[in-house]
Amino acid sequence: QVQLVESGGGSVQSGGSLRITCAASGFTVGRSGMGWFRRAPGKEREGVAAIDKYGVGIAADAVQGRFTISRDGAQNTLYLQMSNLKPEDTAMYYCAAGYSYGEYLDPANYNYWGQGTQVTVSS
């Protein structure tokens, strides 16, 4: 049974950093693509960053140069390192797995989701 458990969210001031973690079980991280998504109040869920099975990461334009996705096969864990955080980064962040095909930052292309971890950035 696939399970994804996010942690590491919290409150931080603008310009600060956070690293959020997604602990995976029931499958092996690296077998297929995984991603981080976020949903801000009143907005649609959007892709933040993704990593393919070869370990190549991509990031959305809004977070390019500030957020980095990575994974640890030994820990079976996915990470999102966030730096220079801005108030507009405030959202619930979700880990996704079970990538099928198509655009890596499209949430419709993932089959498994975690419960999310809240990130709040104050100005």
Side-chain angles (χ1 to χ4, degrees), residues 21-61:
T21 297
C22 174
S25 60
F27 72 103
T28 301
V29 167
R31 283 285 185 90
S32 68
M34 294 183 69
W36 285 100
F37 296 79
R38 68 186 182 187
R39 176 177 281 158
K43 295 188 176 182
E44 296 290 320
R45 185 175 299 193
E46 65 174 351
V48 177
I51 187 166
D52 69 13
K53 64 180 180 180
Y54 303 107
V56 178
I58 61 171
D61 289 345

Side-chain angles (χ1 to χ4, degrees), residues 9 15 17 93 110:
S17 299
Y93 283 72
Y110 292 82

